[in-house]
Amino acid sequence: MKRIQRVAVLIISCLYLTINAQADHHGDYVIHDFKKQQLTPVYWSEGGAIGDFNNDGDMDVVVGPDIYLGPNFDRRTGFRHEYYPAVAPTRRSHRDFSYYSNDNFFSWPYDFDGDGWLDIMVAGLPNTPAYWYENPGKPFGGRSPDIPVHWEKHFVHSNVKNEAPDLIDIDGDGFPELLTAYDEHYGYAKANPVSPRLPWTFYPISTHDEIIHHYTHGMGLGDIDGDGRVDYLTGEGWYRQPVSLDPASDWEFHPHAFLDREINTVFCCLTGGGTMWAYDVNGDGLNDVLTSIDSHGWGLSWYEQIRQYGDSGEMITFKEHRILSRTEENTDNPYGVQFSQLHDIDLVDIDGDGLLDILTGKTWRAHDFGDPGSRQDPVIYWFKLTRQKNGDVEYIPYKIDDTAGIGRQLRSGDINGDGHPDFVVGNKLGAFVFIQEPRKVSRKEWKAAQPVRLKNFK
């Protein structure tokens, strides 16, 4: 594998951006600022993750082949440690205009061998293998050694399909599975019961005919029917998890067009968002579905779950509520916000009000400049969930940043241990952490920070 010289200097951009102002439950007026730190300007990955990899009690981040030691990410004391050989981004073929981090799109920390040290699973460009790297279980910190300590590599699965894989406990046994598609079927890869170091086994969730390309977008998990078991979400509908996960048991399919596969004529039949979520948006006790509509185009929606009853019994259906429009023209957002290429969304309670908000942004140069709106600023937003007394819901947009953007994977967590969610970004602009720093302000400053609704917006 070709090695390239890496930038050894931490570039720190401390941008204090007002992204939200609210009166908290104590009656104080609070503005939530974020400090942005650029860890590297080099493109290593399309995402990143958070975890304490050296067991020092502080959270670190992993982006591509490197672990960046927290919580301060200070280059003066040493902070970057390579855990597998770095591979330069390349083109998939001579016809490509874009370069991709083919070996690393997604990272997931988990202690796979149960030794008390976080390991890291990695998946690259869709239709390439997944591996997990075993933490050697020795403390490390400060400046990295002249010869990097590379972690032992274990094969997981040969072809990870769909552009929204995830590592999550599907069957409720306490050990996560790899949410993916394979051989034209949705399903999951499960660790070998003898040892997680052995190749994992793929279990399809259905046996009926499906057509799933490795670049198909949109996938997720969540309990739709309220039976306590997670169901499988796709752009075409949802699959009900059976009582028994016998390999011969089909997950019952319930069709609903959450995503229009043909809305993007360039990527016809593959179109969709990133991670799909099930969450009770309006507080009626039923889990709704949230998803971006086109990772390489426009759109962000939540689908309200509606229960209907008839002669055939109970039926679950959904009503779409658009947060961002499906075309370049804004016809749905009362605050005038519209941007494209929402390749992933995360649900996280940014402001501590008990409701999960939407964190998302523009995937910078996902297909170079070939996607609609690709020359817009690489913004990051969060959308505050507000529930009205009449049962209505509104998502209020707050801009976090307009120079970093996101990649294909967006994950949040409390990096500095202050109880407030932060997040990590990996993309073609490099790697970033955003640390939340809320502060109390006057009512005047609070009001000035509020987003302004468009006049006469219908």
Side-chain angles (χ1 to χ4, degrees):
M1 291 182 289
K2 184 178 180 181
R3 303 286 299 274
I4 72 172
Q5 186 176 6
R6 292 169 301 281
V7 176
V9 177
L10 174 64
I11 298 176
I12 302 179
S13 302
C14 296
L15 302 181
Y16 291 86
L17 304 174
T18 299
I19 65 161
N20 178 39
Q22 66 177 57
D24 67 9
H25 61 280
H26 297 297
D28 296 321
Y29 293 97
V30 179
I31 288 179
H32 297 261
D33 295 334
F34 275 79
K35 181 178 73 173
K36 179 175 73 174
Q37 294 180 256
Q38 186 175 28
L39 305 177
T40 177
V42 180
Y43 170 42
W44 288 118
S45 177
E46 291 287 345
I50 301 167
D52 180 8
F53 299 103
N54 59 354
N55 275 6
D56 66 350
D58 293 321
M59 301 301 284
D60 316 304
V61 302
V62 57
V63 178
D66 295 317
I67 294 170
Y68 299 89
L69 299 182
N72 299 318
F73 309 102
D74 188 348
R75 68 179 178 86
R76 295 170 298 180
T77 58
F79 72 102
R80 183 178 60 82
H81 291 255
E82 180 184 282
Y83 73 96
Y84 76 84
V87 179
T90 60
R91 295 183 297 177
R92 294 169 299 177
S93 74
H94 66 280
R95 297 184 181 90
D96 262 347
F97 290 98
S98 294
Y99 285 74
Y100 298 95
S101 55
N102 293 326
D103 70 318
N104 195 306
F105 267 42
F106 307 93
S107 298
W108 301 285
Y110 188 77
D111 181 9
F112 294 104
D113 56 357
D115 66 352
W117 294 79
L118 279 182
D119 311 301
I120 303 170
M121 183 180 289
V122 169
L125 186 77
N127 210 35
T128 62
Y131 302 92
W132 70 271
Y133 293 85
E134 183 175 348
N135 192 323
K138 297 179 180 179
F140 62 95
R143 297 190 181 279
S144 60
D146 293 337
I147 300 177
V149 178
H150 289 157
W151 298 7
E152 185 176 357
K153 181 180 181 179
H154 302 286
F155 174 80
V156 175
H157 185 59
S158 60
N159 302 90
V160 177
K161 294 189 175 184
N162 195 293
E163 295 210 19
D166 204 353
L167 186 71
I168 189 169
D169 184 6
I170 296 174
D171 57 11
D173 66 352
F175 197 94
E177 287 76 39
L178 177 61
L179 179 72
T180 183
Y182 178 69
D183 194 24
E184 298 191 347
H185 289 286
Y186 290 108
Y188 57 94
K190 186 173 179 62
N192 191 301
V194 176
S195 170
R197 297 180 180 88
L198 298 175
W200 294 25
T201 302
F202 179 78
Y203 293 91
I205 63 169
S206 64
T207 56
H208 70 269
D209 290 338
E210 296 172 313
I211 301 176
I212 303 171
H213 193 273
H214 47 270
Y215 291 135
T216 299
H217 288 65
M219 189 166 56
L221 293 173
D223 184 5
I224 296 297
D225 57 356
D227 64 357
R229 297 184 293 273
V230 294
D231 306 306
Y232 206 110
L233 307 175
T234 75
E236 291 75 27
W238 62 283
Y239 295 79
R240 188 196 310 268
Q241 183 175 158
V243 175
S244 172
L245 284 180
D246 185 295
S249 299
D250 267 8
W251 295 44
E252 183 183 12
F253 179 59
H254 298 264
H256 187 89
F258 295 116
L259 303 173
D260 182 354
R261 295 297 191 193
E262 300 181 3
I263 193 173
N264 189 323
T265 56
V266 177
F267 304 105
C268 177
C269 308
L270 308 178
T271 303
T275 305
M276 301 177 69
W277 295 89
Y279 177 66
D280 184 6
V281 174
N282 57 1
D284 65 355
L286 305 175
N287 276 339
D288 312 298
V289 173
L290 301 95
T291 182
S292 54
I293 303 302
D294 183 358
S295 293
H296 301 284
W298 313 91
L300 174 65
S301 297
W302 72 278
Y303 290 83
E304 179 183 2
Q305 183 181 155
I306 298 173
R307 300 285 177 98
Q308 296 179 342
Y309 302 88
D311 295 337
S312 58
E314 183 183 73
M315 181 177 67
I316 295 177
T317 186
F318 296 88
K319 176 184 178 181
E320 182 183 10
H321 300 268
R322 296 183 182 179
I323 303 169
L324 297 179
S325 300
R326 293 185 174 216
T327 61
E328 183 172 4
E329 180 185 2
N330 172 40
T331 58
D332 299 284
N333 191 275
Y335 297 91
V337 173
Q338 178 67 332
F339 59 93
S340 64
Q341 299 174 289
L342 289 71
H343 209 293
D344 200 16
I345 65 175
D346 195 13
L347 293 191
V348 54
D349 183 7
I350 293 288
D351 54 0
D353 65 356
L355 302 179
L356 296 184
D357 310 301
I358 298 174
L359 177 66
T360 187
K362 171 184 284 293
T363 302
W364 177 242
R365 296 182 65 176
H367 292 144
D368 203 30
F369 291 113
D371 292 337
S374 59
R375 294 188 183 274
Q376 294 176 323
D377 291 337
V379 296
I380 302 175
Y381 271 85
W382 75 281
F383 294 80
K384 175 180 170 60
L385 171 58
T386 60
R387 294 173 178 167
Q388 311 300 322
K389 292 182 178 180
N390 62 359
D392 291 343
V393 164
E394 184 176 51
Y395 279 98
I396 303 176
Y398 296 91
K399 184 189 293 185
I400 297 175
D401 186 73
D402 60 7
T403 60
I406 67 170
R408 263 80 166 182
Q409 180 189 39
L410 180 61
R411 290 296 177 265
S412 59
D414 184 6
I415 294 176
N416 62 352
D418 65 354
H420 302 289
D422 317 300
F423 62 95
V424 57
V425 166
N427 62 10
K428 291 181 178 178
L429 289 170
F432 304 85
V433 291
F434 287 81
I435 305 298
Q436 185 177 170
E437 297 183 339
R439 58 189 175 91
K440 296 180 181 180
V441 297
S442 66
R443 185 175 185 275
K444 180 179 180 180
E445 188 175 354
W446 174 81
K447 290 186 65 176
Q450 294 300 307
V452 179
R453 295 178 66 93
L454 298 174
K455 293 183 179 180
N456 302 320
F457 189 87
K458 59 180 181 179

